Amino acid sequence: MSFSETFAGCVAACALLLVIPASASAQVCKESNGNFSGKANLACDMRYRDQIVACDKKNPNDPNEVIGTRASCPPKPMPMIDTPKKSYIADYSPYLFQYPRDEESPEKLYSGPYALGTPGDASRTFQLFGETAPGTTRKDSCRTRLKLPSDPTSAGDWAKFIRLQTDNCTNEYILNAALYPFQKEASRILSHDDPENPGKLLDLQSECQPLRIAPGEQNEYNADTYLKAAWIKLLEDPTYRKTTGPMRCVPCVNGGLSAEGLPCDREPHLPCDVTLSNPVKAPSPFPEVRLSSIATVPYEEINDPSHPFSPRWDFLLNDRDYGNLSLNLLNSPEVAVAIQAALKTYMTDTKNAVFCAGNKNAEDESDAQKKEDAEVKVDVLEFRRKDFEKSLEKRAGYNAVCHQTKALYGGQTQRGIPQFIAIMGGSFCFKAKFFPFAPFVESQSIDCWKCFGLEGKVNGNDKDSQPPCTTNYLGKDLKIKGRKFPGLLNEFKRDANCGRKFDKVCRDLRAPYTSLNKLKMRYHNPNDKDDPNGDNVVLKEGALEGMTFKEYFGNHMPYPKIWDLGHSLQKTPPADRNSQPPTDTTGQYTAIVGVGREAAANVASNAAPADANGKKAADSFTDQRCKTQGWGKQTNPLGVSFGGVQVSVPNPTSSWTETKLYQTRTLRHVGLSCLGRYEKVFKPGGAENLMALISAGEWDQLVIAKCARLPGGRTKDCQYMTIKEYTAAGNPPDDDSIVYLKQPKTEASPRAWRGYISAAKPENQYPSFGGNGNTDNLIRGLDNAEMGDIILMPNGPNDKDGLPKLAFVFATKLEKDGTHCERDKSCYVRVFEPDNGKWPDVCGTTDTWGEMKSRHYFKPGHLPKKARDEYARIGSIKDCEETKIALCEQSAWNRLTTYRIRKDIRKGCETKDKAVECGGEQ
């Protein structure tokens, strides 16, 4: 084994053991009815909004006294990836998703003399693929299952197909984990969070993104129904459809129908030309999974991989479709006959015969955006369809029968008790005249339509001309008019015998549903013309583009219920949280937040005063999330419609693919089924942290406590300052009210909290360290590289679009070294590349996470002839953009910048304190 292979293996093994940071737990106080039990210490917010924040602790013996406490974490950890509203990656290179191929077997990965990493084929990728050992019961791997009619030919097509293979592998992992909602932990990794319990393992609470879940989750539908459907169509039979049946692969166009105006395939599924070579039968019997069981685990998690808003896709009709006589997709012929008979007989305009949401005057709106927002349709989810159609059947049937029912005896006045009884029992309404002194009565049967004051047909768009039983949520059921008596056919009631009130039927149809996927969602509409100040925008920093509800379904209700709110998003939530206002358009802008902190300190900010400069804590804590978006420049990167969902740039399917891969890697790496907290699970094995480890960077600092003095030598309201801050204050003396605890403490920052090369804000970019950078240690061009330098690649390994990465220089062959490499055309720098592999997830983590791979970056034109010939033979590029080759040509040789960490001496630091962060906000 070569030195590079030995070193890389050691680094990989050591990384898994060493990168977990030291104790990051903090003394915290939980939120109680929106209030905090102590003064918020926002400088140590290690958790998430709506969960817990670091606080000072109140004295239990004196509620007015706050005891000075300090959480065991640095004053301000570096933020997570803080990217613009759109992904920092303009376009993914296909070489991030495909690999150089074996010339003899194109389905296999190249494993020749210049291969990098583990030899073998795609089944070795990050242990996601492979054969499960005999007798193994838990999920260890998945096999390559998808097969196209013919092999792709271009690198881009191969990339899309391999990425689809990887995506379906994540489906398999997620579905297996979803079958048993109470078994989410299988960790065997020590947490190191509790010094008094060194044997404690990682768990959901420490590693997973927390999610507040509203109490009282009901089981409106069987979760296992959708899990089983997802399993069959993704892993067993690609032709299976739960809902659309024979309309497979008929794409949807505007209006929710096919181009021919027929039903279309809305159900998410594998591409129609894909088959399965290694199908996996669904478990039998399939485990019962309930929504209430899923809700008991309060952490963000994907359970149904087929669609982010599952089971929202499960519908065939929306409310307006019931007025379209060409549709015959109802649950039973009886329902179809009743509705169609009613519409044919009394509706002059059936366009809006059934209407459960929106504004009927929307078509008169001149503003296109407002018009679109007002045209709200309600899709009839399958688990609500039976009750809805049962109500419609009764109403439509009543209207149809009533319209056709003529008066008994031709409506002529009849005399006599027998005739009276017959009219009373066979009429919707009648007139009667009783003679008190004679043993007879005069009675007259009335046409049913006239019982309610209706003449002729009814215009369904005229609010003043409704049928007896309305099918419009704005309409009212009619009463028998005048001095008429209700007959038996109307159950002797003056109100039309329509069953449940239709506004309540519509309310149930619109009600926010609970998704199988427990993901934090927020409302964001940057183009809301009625809200120029953004007052109703919850997600201030921008939604995850391509993952909004509207991009999947348009402005159609029902909207998803937000797990941590207990209701769908709307501007004025009613007291009944299961209700959705019929004209509300807020929910269409619901977006999945993704991975990271969402406005971490906003909730706590009300409890903290502004600093001396008037800056509030919340201003320093913006949304910190991973926002990687796939192939951003391509309308449809996978080349398929995915169930007729109309996609836009960036692609929502792409974003969902990357989020699923992130959860799958959490499951593989730490044995927890959830969306892991990036700072805890993946940042320690990321490129920035491994750079700090290999370069032995020191990040400790000394702090002094400044506290208010209390009688008896006690203190309160302690604040912490660096030695530099203490010195700048002129070594202030103690006085009667303030005491400085001059016994310095060592405050160590985990190496992982050193910022990100991909950060949008310069002060957070690696290696700025809080905005206190020193350009003297940045050197341009690899001709000047030295051993120990860190190469910065903010635009990818080839200085083009791609994942921002780092590389550590541990050997050079350059002209400045006296090697005459320019003459010999053999100049190179040898590097260790951390986390620079394939298949990036939503946070840019690749299949080589936690590892460092040795590579040679050759100057352009200097790549050895044997390597060039080999790459030409197998059809691979020679550029370092291809991460699976050990010898590559660095096309950005003259443009890349190196960071010389050993010369990073910050202003105000002592010589011995090289690389110590002592500026910025410290």
Side-chain angles (χ1 to χ4, degrees):
M1 182 179 290
S2 67
F3 166 76
S4 63
E5 292 173 325
T6 304
F7 188 95
C10 174
V11 170
C14 295
L16 290 176
L17 295 175
L18 298 178
V19 295
I20 302 298
S23 176
S25 60
Q27 296 188 47
V28 297
C29 56
K30 293 187 177 181
E31 185 178 2
S32 176
N33 298 324
N35 298 316
F36 297 94
S37 58
K39 178 182 176 182
N41 175 9
L42 296 181
C44 191
D45 183 1
M46 288 293 297
R47 300 285 178 164
Y48 291 84
R49 208 190 88 162
D50 292 342
Q51 186 69 8
I52 51 178
V53 296
C55 298
D56 289 338
K57 185 179 180 181
K58 285 189 176 182
N59 186 344
N61 299 321
D62 183 358
N64 296 320
E65 178 185 338
V66 179
I67 302 174
T69 61
R70 180 166 179 77
S72 56
C73 55
K76 186 179 179 182
M78 290 298 290
M80 282 194 59
I81 301 173
D82 185 10
T83 58
K85 292 182 179 180
K86 185 178 178 181
S87 169
Y88 53 86
I89 302 173
D91 190 14
Y92 272 161
S93 159
Y95 298 101
L96 283 170
F97 300 95
Q98 66 101 45
Y99 38 76
R101 318 195 70 77
D102 187 298
E103 187 183 38
E104 302 293 330
S105 302
E107 76 280 0
K108 293 183 179 180
L109 174 69
Y110 167 69
S111 58
Y114 302 110
L116 183 70
T118 306
D121 59 11
S123 67
R124 308 297 301 173
T125 303
F126 195 61
Q127 304 179 59
L128 290 177
F129 292 84
E131 297 292 341
T132 303
T136 302
T137 55
R138 80 179 190 87
K139 185 68 189 168
D140 278 336
S141 59
C142 51
R143 299 174 65 186
T144 302
R145 307 196 185 283
L146 306 186
K147 187 176 181 180
L148 291 176
S150 60
D151 287 337
T153 55
S154 68
D157 287 341
W158 269 115
K160 296 167 189 175
F161 181 55
I162 296 172
R163 190 158 177 268
L164 188 62
Q165 291 273 22
T166 305
D167 176 66
N168 213 43
C169 184
T170 68
N171 296 339
E172 190 168 347
Y173 271 87
I174 290 171
L175 284 169
N176 271 280
L179 299 186
Y180 308 101
F182 297 108
Q183 301 177 21
K184 299 302 182 186
E185 298 187 28
S187 174
R188 295 295 180 269
I189 302 176
L190 295 175
S191 70
H192 302 294
D193 276 349
D194 187 355
E196 297 181 0
N197 185 9
K200 183 180 180 181
L201 301 175
L202 296 175
D203 56 23
L204 293 166
Q205 183 176 7
S206 65
E207 306 302 296
C208 297
Q209 292 194 162
L211 180 68
R212 173 184 295 169
I213 294 176
E217 190 58 52
Q218 297 179 349
N219 297 295
E220 186 179 19
Y221 61 88
N222 292 331
D224 48 88
T225 298
Y226 294 91
L227 294 177
K228 185 176 182 180
W231 185 297
I232 295 175
K233 65 190 174 187
L234 297 177
L235 304 177
E236 184 177 347
D237 178 11
T239 66
Y240 170 81
R241 300 289 184 272
K242 176 186 179 300
T243 300
T244 51
M247 285 75 69
R248 290 195 298 266
C249 302
V250 177
C252 298
V253 295
N254 292 334
L257 300 173
S258 71
E260 296 75 24
L262 299 174
C264 56
D265 188 352
R266 298 182 180 90
E267 187 165 346
H269 52 76
L270 290 173
C272 290
D273 55 352
V274 168
T275 57
L276 289 173
S277 58
N278 296 297
V280 186
K281 286 188 175 296
S284 181
F286 203 86
E288 182 184 47
V289 182
R290 294 180 174 272
L291 285 174
S292 54
S293 299
I294 293 175
T296 60
V297 185
Y299 302 100
E300 289 198 69
E301 178 186 18
I302 298 170
N303 288 290
D304 177 6
S306 65
H307 201 284
F309 296 105
S310 68
R312 177 57 181 77
W313 52 266
D314 188 11
F315 69 97
L316 282 177
L317 303 162
N318 63 61
D319 57 335
R320 316 292 172 80
D321 291 334
Y322 289 87
N324 187 338
L325 299 182
S326 65
L327 291 176
N328 190 18
L329 297 171
L330 305 180
N331 273 332
S332 67
E334 292 78 14
V335 177
V337 168
I339 294 176
Q340 293 184 13
L343 297 179
K344 283 181 179 179
T345 55
Y346 67 80
M347 284 294 182
T348 58
D349 182 358
T350 61
K351 178 181 177 182
N352 293 325
V354 183
F355 199 92
C356 273
N359 185 343
K360 279 204 166 190
N361 298 321
E363 57 189 23
D364 299 330
E365 176 60 59
S366 59
D367 185 282
Q369 182 66 47
K370 291 183 179 180
K371 179 178 180 179
E372 180 183 359
D373 285 350
E375 293 177 337
V376 185
K377 295 181 180 179
V378 184
D379 294 321
V380 184
L381 304 188
E382 280 300 301
F383 53 83
R384 294 178 178 172
R385 184 176 167 189
K386 184 176 180 180
D387 289 342
F388 181 68
E389 290 184 351
K390 184 177 180 181
S391 296
L392 271 186
E393 178 185 8
K394 181 173 180 60
R395 289 177 167 272
Y398 183 100
N399 290 338
V401 172
C402 180
H403 185 270
Q404 298 298 324
T405 301
K406 301 300 181 180
L408 288 179
Y409 307 109
Q412 298 298 317
T413 300
Q414 300 294 313
R415 177 176 291 186
I417 298 297
Q419 291 81 357
F420 169 74
I421 294 175
I423 288 175
M424 184 175 59
S427 299
F428 282 82
C429 74
F430 62 93
K431 292 181 178 180
K433 182 178 181 181
F434 298 93
F435 295 86
F437 302 107
F440 65 86
V441 61
E442 290 183 349
S443 55
Q444 179 186 10
S445 177
I446 308 297
D447 290 353
C448 179
W449 212 244
K450 295 180 180 179
C451 290
F452 300 98
L454 299 172
E455 299 293 340
K457 292 188 176 181
V458 172
N459 183 350
N461 288 324
D462 185 353
K463 67 179 180 179
D464 296 323
S465 180
Q466 295 280 358
C469 295
T470 184
T471 53
N472 173 2
Y473 81 92
L474 296 169
K476 302 293 184 182
D477 294 335
L478 301 185
K479 294 178 178 292
I480 293 175
K481 292 195 173 184
R483 296 182 178 181
K484 304 183 184 73
F485 295 97
L488 178 62
L489 296 184
N490 203 51
E491 294 187 358
F492 303 115
K493 297 177 181 177
R494 296 201 66 82
D495 293 331
N497 188 26
C498 306
R500 292 190 68 216
K501 297 295 184 183
F502 197 64
D503 60 338
K504 291 183 171 58
V505 173
C506 285
R507 182 197 63 186
D508 291 346
L509 192 68
R510 296 189 308 261
Y513 74 97
T514 301
S515 175
L516 281 176
N517 297 318
K518 294 186 301 181
L519 298 171
K520 185 174 289 187
M521 299 181 189
R522 289 291 178 264
Y523 165 69
H524 172 70
N525 178 10
N527 299 316
D528 192 340
K529 296 178 182 178
D530 293 329
D531 184 36
N533 299 320
D535 294 331
N536 62 3
V537 179
V538 178
L539 195 58
K540 295 287 185 180
E541 293 299 310
L544 210 64
E545 290 87 349
M547 297 194 73
T548 60
F549 180 87
K550 183 176 182 178
E551 287 180 272
Y552 284 99
F553 302 107
N555 190 13
H556 282 212
M557 292 181 182
Y559 304 134
K561 181 183 293 185
I562 311 303
W563 277 95
D564 52 341
L565 296 180
H567 57 80
S568 63
L569 286 171
Q570 48 211 34
K571 296 178 182 178
T572 308
D576 181 1
R577 292 191 168 191
N578 289 320
S579 177
Q580 178 72 51
T583 57
D584 178 65
T585 58
T586 307
Q588 65 177 314
Y589 298 106
T590 296
I592 295 174
V593 171
V595 179
R597 298 189 184 102
E598 183 206 358
N602 283 354
V603 167
S605 61
N606 294 332
D611 60 18
N613 298 320
K615 186 177 182 180
K616 293 184 177 181
D619 297 335
S620 302
F621 288 80
T622 58
D623 286 357
Q624 300 162 10
R625 303 192 305 279
C626 303
K627 301 178 186 176
T628 303
Q629 294 299 314
W631 282 292
K633 292 180 181 177
Q634 300 189 29
T635 302
N636 199 341
L638 293 178
V640 293
S641 65
F642 275 81
V645 174
Q646 300 301 303
V647 299
S648 58
V649 179
N651 186 335
T653 303
S654 170
S655 302
W656 186 235
T657 297
E658 295 161 355
T659 306
K660 289 192 296 181
L661 181 56
Y662 182 87
Q663 173 162 319
T664 300
R665 283 181 169 150
T666 304
L667 184 63
R668 280 295 315 177
H669 174 53
V670 295
L672 303 177
S673 180
C674 68
L675 289 183
R677 292 169 53 197
Y678 185 78
E679 293 285 339
K680 290 278 290 182
V681 177
F682 290 106
K683 181 64 190 290
E688 293 90 345
N689 189 52
L690 294 183
M691 289 290 97
L693 283 172
I694 198 172
S695 59
E698 298 176 0
W699 315 111
D700 296 349
Q701 66 175 347
L702 299 179
V703 296
I704 289 178
K706 174 185 177 182
C707 308
R709 189 190 300 273
L710 289 174
R714 292 184 298 166
T715 60
K716 71 173 183 177
D717 293 343
C718 290
Q719 301 177 5
Y720 293 84
M721 53 199 312
T722 64
I723 297 293
K724 176 187 174 184
E725 292 170 334
Y726 179 74
T727 304
N731 297 322
D734 294 346
D735 58 31
D736 290 338
S737 60
I738 301 296
V739 60
Y740 292 86
L741 305 180
K742 299 174 185 176
Q743 181 66 38
K745 293 182 179 180
T746 299
E747 191 67 39
S749 300
R751 292 181 174 91
W753 295 337
R754 292 299 94 200
Y756 295 80
I757 191 173
S758 59
K761 297 180 180 179
E763 63 268 24
N764 294 335
Q765 289 175 353
Y766 183 97
S768 292
F769 302 153
N772 190 28
N774 183 352
T775 57
D776 294 341
N777 52 53
L778 300 178
I779 297 92
R780 190 160 182 90
L782 298 188
D783 283 327
N784 300 310
E786 295 180 2
M787 186 174 66
D789 287 355
I790 298 174
I791 302 176
L792 308 178
M793 296 175 280
N795 301 306
N798 62 343
D799 199 32
K800 297 178 183 177
D801 297 330
L803 291 175
K805 289 298 175 185
L806 299 164
F808 182 84
V809 179
F810 74 95
T812 62
K813 184 181 179 182
L814 301 170
E815 190 71 15
K816 69 179 181 62
D817 300 330
T819 62
H820 304 294
C821 66
E822 292 286 357
R823 180 193 64 192
D824 301 335
K825 298 289 185 182
S826 60
C827 297
Y828 66 79
V829 294
R830 193 174 183 185
V831 301
F832 285 124
E833 281 185 345
D835 194 14
N836 185 25
K838 303 283 188 178
W839 301 280
D841 57 32
V842 74
C843 287
T845 299
T846 72
D847 64 316
T848 60
W849 176 87
E851 300 177 346
M852 289 193 184
K853 301 293 187 182
S854 173
R855 302 182 81 192
H856 287 76
Y857 288 174
F858 280 89
K859 193 170 183 176
H862 291 211
L863 187 66
K865 183 178 184 302
K866 287 185 177 181
R868 294 200 306 269
D869 293 345
E870 177 73 354
Y871 300 152
R873 183 183 73 85
I874 64 173
S876 172
I877 63 170
K878 61 183 179 179
D879 195 274
C880 294
E881 184 176 8
E882 174 52 72
T883 64
K884 288 295 183 183
I885 53 177
L887 278 62
C888 62
E889 189 173 272
Q890 181 52 265
S891 59
W893 181 277
N894 294 322
R895 300 191 300 273
L896 294 180
T897 299
T898 61
Y899 164 50
R900 198 151 291 166
I901 187 173
R902 63 186 179 278
K903 289 192 175 182
D904 191 357
I905 302 175
R906 302 299 172 108
K907 182 180 179 180
C909 297
E910 299 292 336
T911 302
K912 65 180 180 179
D913 292 330
K914 292 178 181 179
V916 174
E917 180 187 4
C918 58
E921 297 188 12
Q922 300 302 322

